[in-house]
Amino acid sequence: MTTQTTTHEFQAETKRLLDIVIHSLYTERDIFVRELISNASDALEKFRHESLTADDVFDAHLPLEISIDLDEEKRTMTITDTGIGMNRHELEANLGTIAHSGSSSFMSGLAEAAKKDVSLIGQFGVGFYAAFMAAGEVRVQSRSWDGSEGHEWVSDGAGTYSISEVAGLQRGTRIIMALKDDAHDYAKKWKVENIIKQYSSFVPFPIKLAGETVNTVSALWTRSKSEITEQEYTDFYKFIATAHDEPQYRLHFSADAPLAIKALLFVPKENFEIMGFGRVDSGVNLYCQRILIDQHSENVLPEWLRFLKGVMDSEDLPLNISRQSLQDNALLAKLRKVITKRFLKFLDEQAQENPEAYLAFWKTFGIYLKEGITSDYEFQKELGKLVRFESSRSEAGTPIALAAYVERMKEGQEAIYYINGSSRAAIEAGPYVESFTQKNIEILYTLEPIDDFVLSHLAEFDGKKLISADRADLDLSKNETLEEKKEGEHLEDGAKAVLISWLKATLADKVADVIESKRLVSAPAMIVNPDNYMTSSMERIMAASRREKGQEAVTSKKNLEINTTSPLIQRLAALQKSDEAFAAEVAAQIYDNAMIQAGLVVDPLTMVERNYRILGRALGGE
Ligand code: ADP
Ligand code: MG
């Protein structure tokens, strides 16, 4: 005999996962059947696709199907498929390691999720290991479609597995499970039949249980909408997404021109990416005439729609297209555009119909639409309609659409204004909104660090420019009516000129320029950006990322606008004449305060020491 048995250790992450699986709650155990059937189905789909182009396939005569055999006496369950199979190397790579295990945060996220709800594990590409919930020993016999010799993989899940050669296997994979003492029910036909009905009714291949086919094979997306029940849709979603939640939105559509498309797309309820599980993979499968061409395809939709689950089927694609050539297929690029536009239009319709539900969607998945704006120029117009931000006129926590802003813009107002801050309260206490409040102009609050990048990429909406309120050249006077003209006592012109040129000199290493403000109302000063493509919030992010890379976090010099009607600035002008050294301290402190209000970094040590010196003087010290 040439049979050679080798024993291998599971990868550390796999061991940890197995430990969780083996000790998980029994109530959720049923899902192991679903996971194994889903793997069998995947293997059959892969085989069907490969065999379209291959000249010669091993065991070509075998029908494409899944068989489940139960033995109540021996207490075993056996699941057999005639799919693509695995050779020795693939057995080792696929059933000994976890494909996504790259990041340790992924593993700890997964471990947490699995502890709470083990049915989540299918979503993380580790469904096979669920077999150990019910089986004390799992044997996987597999023979690849390449016809190379078959092998058997055996493990009790405790830390090692072994692989040996087995002669005479047919193409595909057979999984033989010796059921644990408390899992004997899984050798009973009624039990298994129920599980298949519940979880696996959409498997596109016959599932034979004790010789009888128990599912009806049909591609849901090709049926007409009126014939499909809500329950079927939800079940289908759970099936293709290996999800346990219900979808938040569903779009089922077909088109004949310019291309024949049938698509069924779902938005999940939960966003695993923001829950800390790392980047999600695309969840849309590409079919051609009901044959799976590319599972979790990267090519059907733009990357920023990777949160969607579902299928897309087009008769126009050549059946024998290889997965490699999908990437630069012109037809697929066209399909991508049509579907993306259709989906974005759908979201807009949903937003009109039920704004509250849309806000729930926006809070969970809005981040992806923002990513779309910054990474994809093609859909900016559509995406602009879908973004939501809080504003000076919105309620806290209830962001508004740009269209709502435009609708109530003042006569003569030409632009849409926004300002970034860490919270509503922080923005409203800061200097940037003062003049907007006074002039009764609405201003958007961008509360997320990336928002200013998003709006600067978007650049305009409905023909109106999007302008950050910390821009140096901001001019609200066009919106000003006569009686709103700024009141209050200004410094007399000569004193003003002296103060400004002195400030420029004393703050020379910090500021680009010092300017008399035309818009501050009561705040003494503020920082504005002379570079129109940069806002303070963008600057802050870029500085942080430079620091992360170990580079020096230099920020460009800003303009300091001073309010010459402010009593503090007026007293500073006087102080400069009587005690220049102390005036310089006050000037530096005003600058630091304005930087902090802009969300920019100051040197805290220097600032605090100076602050104490100033307090000392205020309390009558030297
Ligand atoms: P996933 O299915 O999400 O990739 P699993 O843990 O369920 O994760 O399976 C791991 C891998 O093992 C699969 O990607 C596949 O390559 C391989 N595999 C599992 N079951 C089969 C099978 N019945 N036939 C062929 N390959 C299989
Ligand atoms: Mg799987």
Side-chain angles (χ1 to χ4, degrees), residues 35-36 38-39 42 122 125-128:
E35 294 300 334
L36 297 181
S38 128
N39 285 350
D42 289 351
V126 291
F128 168 76

Side-chain angles (χ1 to χ4, degrees), residues 499 502-507 510-511 514 525 560 562 568-569 572 575-576 580-594 610 614:
L499 176 67
W502 174 76
L503 279 171
K504 276 188 208 175
T506 185
L507 297 173
K510 300 180 177 196
V511 301
V514 179
L560 182 69
I562 56 160
L568 184 71
I569 296 297
L572 179 63
L575 183 66
Q576 186 256 321
E580 188 172 347
F582 186 49
E585 297 255 73
V586 174
Q589 188 62 42
I590 290 174
Y591 166 81
D592 272 6
N593 288 357
R610 183 200 310 118
I614 297 172

Side-chain angles (χ1 to χ4, degrees), residues 101-288:
S101 63
S103 78
S104 67
S105 72
F106 169 82
M107 258 322 284
S108 46
L110 170 58
E112 277 313 303
K115 259 184 230 155
K116 276 190 226 115
D117 181 357
V118 79
S119 66
L120 282 173
I121 71 172
Q123 299 195 357
F124 300 105
V126 291
F128 168 76
Y129 302 104
F132 290 98
M133 290 203 287
E137 184 197 71
V138 178
R139 294 177 174 270
V140 181
Q141 301 179 337
S142 197
R143 186 160 188 188
S144 166
W145 71 301
D146 64 18
S148 61
E149 200 56 79
H151 287 87
E152 182 177 67
W153 177 105
V154 187
S155 177
D156 60 2
T160 62
Y161 61 91
S162 65
I163 299 183
S164 53
E165 205 173 288
V166 177
L169 297 180
Q170 62 171 29
R171 186 196 69 231
T173 301
R174 167 168 293 156
I175 300 181
I176 306 157
M177 286 161 281
L179 298 169
K180 291 184 188 171
D181 286 344
D182 54 6
H184 292 167
D185 270 1
Y186 293 106
K188 297 200 169 97
K189 193 180 165 207
W190 63 265
K191 172 84 178 173
V192 178
E193 188 164 354
N194 277 345
I195 300 174
I196 296 172
K197 291 243 153 79
Q198 190 181 349
Y199 293 117
S200 305
S201 27
F202 294 100
V203 170
F205 300 93
I207 303 174
K208 291 187 169 160
L209 182 59
E212 262 172 63
T213 303
V214 288
N215 62 331
T216 42
V217 176
S218 90
L220 189 75
W221 62 94
T222 61
R223 284 164 49 193
S224 97
K225 281 193 217 174
S226 57
E227 289 169 12
I228 304 171
T229 65
E230 285 296 314
Q231 189 61 46
E232 280 178 301
Y233 274 127
T234 304
D235 289 347
F236 182 73
Y237 162 73
K238 290 186 180 174
F239 166 68
I240 48 142
T242 30
H244 63 123
D245 58 348
E246 310 225 320
Q248 189 167 160
Y249 283 136
R250 169 185 85 225
L251 171 63
H252 184 186
F253 80 98
S254 58
D256 296 320
L259 293 158
I261 310 173
K262 289 189 167 59
L264 178 51
L265 302 174
F266 298 93
V267 175
K269 213 163 246 140
E270 265 153 343
N271 179 349
F272 287 102
E273 201 165 301
I274 56 171
M275 285 161 71
F277 292 116
R279 201 178 169 79
V280 300
D281 291 333
S282 153
V284 176
N285 299 339
L286 176 65
Y287 284 79
C288 175

Side-chain angles (χ1 to χ4, degrees), residues 222 255-256 259-262 287-290 312-319 331 335:
T222 61
D256 296 320
L259 293 158
I261 310 173
K262 289 189 167 59
Y287 284 79
C288 175
Q289 297 167 43
R290 302 180 194 199
M312 192 200 62
D313 195 330
S314 175
E315 291 170 20
D316 291 334
L317 283 172
L319 246 185
L331 198 59
L335 281 170

